[in-house]
Amino acid sequence: MSLKRRCEHVTEGTHEAGSGTLLNKIYTELYITEGQSEEVDTQHEVRQLERTSKKNIQDTPIKCQDIFKVLSEQQRHIRVVLTNGVAGVGKTFSVQKFSLDWAEGLENQDISLVLLLSWRELNLIRDQQHSLLSLLHVFHPTLQKIRAEDLTVWKLLFIFDGLDESRFSLGFKKHQVISDVTRVSSVDVLLVNLIQGNLLPSALIWITSRPAAAHQIPPSCVDRITEVRGFTDSQKEEYFRRRFSDEDLSKRIISHIKASRSLHIMCLIPVFCWITAIVLEDMMTRDQRGELPKTLTDLYSHFLRVQMKRKKQKYGGKQRPEELTEADKELLLKLGRLAFEHLKKGNIMFYSKDLERCGLDVSEEFLAAVYKFHRYTRKDTVVINQFLEYSKPNTSLDDFLRRALMKSLEKDLGGLLDQRNSHPETIQKVLNNLKEVNSDKFSPDRSINIFHCLMEMKDQSVHQEIQEFLKSEKKSERRLSEIHCSALADLLQMSEEVLDELDLRQYNTSEEGRRRLIPAVRNCRKAVLSDCRLSEISCDSLASALRSNPSHLRVLELTETKLQDSGVKLLCGFLQDPLCELETLRLSHCSLSEISCGSLASALRSNPSHLRVLDLSQNQLKDPGVKRLCGFLQDPLCKLETLRLSETSCDSVASALKSNPSHLRVLDLSINTLQDPAVKLLCGFLQDPLCKLETLSQKPKPASLLKGQQVEQKPPAEKVLSERKWWRTMKLAKLHLSSRDGLSWSCGTSLWDCRLSKTSCDSVASALKSNLSHLRVLDLSSNTLQDSGVKRLCSGLESPNCKLERLRLNCCWLSEISCGSLASALRSNPSHLRKLDLSENQLQDPGVKLLCGFLQDPNCRLETLSSFRREGHTGTTYS
């Protein structure tokens, strides 16, 4: 009965005497999920809340009445629950609803006793000594007759509400162990022992907190973490319908809120719904001609006016409620100073009796802005210099506001005043400054705050221009400014539709503009950030974006971004997230060293089941780094199918593949000088019966990478052939840039220009014989195989199990003798080969004639036979 009396009446926003409302009359179900967002929010509050409101497919909704119920077979007994949520989102109301339902006999009747305690109340006895039993007697006088033995046999629930208001130092590592409910100790020691389970190990514990304070409870002590996310869209409407008996009024309010994006997003928080209801009810039920508030600045301004009017109606005597007296202004400035000074210190909570008496739920941005503006107009240089950290006489208003903007970007203040009527020209200068400000020292997320400032100042121009851009068919022809990119990033990431692909190269903008588009990664399946020159700030923003929405992204391309090892380390925080389902990661040309291999290996080992493609080519990884990476390849949970490496030996790779060979389909060792011993090692892997490799690629170094290197001298007879080879190298290197798998072969082995000799052909032939079910393409171009090498290779080609469809032997120093060997081998197994390339060899007419004998075979399925000689720029293709 005592708990029912305590919880059945609640107050919204203000705590005026007699203002209580029946909880069940206004309570609206909240959206609560199991788990929590681990991202640190640095964005504008509107964007924070909209991202929170977008349900993730991995979210597990849970009702507050079921907070201790096991939801799946994997979960064990739940004893301690930690519930997070931002200020005003409904944590305390959830606690009160749970307690009231229990007290009225509706829910959780297996619990013997619910003991509701707030950390604010506990602060009052912080310096006292108590036993757990006497502590309960202090806060719940109705339990004076309870005995110690009752506590040990009853099923108890302790609810500790508002950990963020705690002034205790909870020492979980070193403390006195207490297991007796009658033993006296300091209050903080009692609480720690109760949470850890030393005291009353069967008792249930429920702790609520704002996210920033939740770290005080070690994860090892918590069995379930939940997050109160506030209202869904339908719950917002339900709140206003329940609050107003006038159905027409509630419909008008709901309609207005939906028309304003900022207000609709902010109404995710119940206390903001209350503020909105106070303002709109006041404006809609009296004869007012002004425009209804559409921005947060307008709404907070009207809210202050409503509160001041209510105060005058109650205490003001004969003064008119609409007029602001000097005392009113002085009060607002005192509150503004309080907000401003605490904001500078990084405090977002206030414990002022003035705030409670005025009934203000103060935003940390708005009143601070009022105070700054007022002190400027009074030429208070002390405050101005204190804020801007500079001393400059006769500062103009637009310069003051411009510098305030830059400071706000650093500190995330955000708000500027709408003073159009008194300073229209100056405000226009501020708007222009906002659109042109260079924010390359700030994160892309903070830059979006500039766009929100424009919206708060009712400048819709950028928003309208971006809407026109999204509708246009010729997007690549329209140049986007930096502020356009911030606005576009905001709209893309908040879109209800998930983007299939976000390719920053497709946007006609500056390098800084592309950097500002990075936050949109939150809402896409494939992100291409190639050539973006990411700084450490950009990498941090990218990592934040990836952690916030790990469920959608499947492909991430960061080629030529100069990511470096520090950037990869930030990225790995996302890769090891259990919700990360990334399948393709491309990091070629990113200036990575062996350090990155260690970071990647560690991250992937903790979450290895999804990644299928990993491209680390064109980096200085070196053998030690590749060896560390291969530790991941050996993991039995590794499902990697494509791996691209360069500038490394293949010893570690071959060893790792032998231990876990069943998944890899493509191994690209581009720009490696493997030579015969390395190929022999890889062929040992190919002979493994579990090997499923379909493509083994090795491309030569492009000419641009060989500048300044000494080229091996060749005899004059080979000079023309060498020139030919380089010509083909340049041609195919270009093809490689535009194709994921080099030359877009369906599956195959490329050992092109690997400096292979005829002895390597024995290893290749042996591999073909032992693992013939998958290989369809074999490219041995630009190797000095000669006729003897091809003869050895033919022992594999003539195997009845060979299913080869494409064979490339161009530029291999072959004569008509090789034609005879090939014709003989293929005649014995002619049914599969479709393409045979023997171009750039000295075959001559007699050799071609031998091959034509094979073409006449009725089982021959050959579709293309290529042969041309480069000297005269003539060639023959037989089809």
Side-chain angles (χ1 to χ4, degrees), residues 132-147:
L132 183 60
L133 187 61
S134 67
L135 189 70
L136 297 183
H137 292 164
V138 169
F139 287 101
H140 293 281
T142 55
L143 302 179
Q144 290 290 341
K145 295 181 180 180
I146 197 172
R147 300 170 300 172

Side-chain angles (χ1 to χ4, degrees), residues 635-649:
D635 193 302
L637 295 177
C638 172
K639 301 296 188 298
L640 204 65
E641 296 176 358
T642 298
L643 176 62
R644 303 187 189 278
L645 300 168
S646 58
E647 301 289 356
T648 182
S649 69

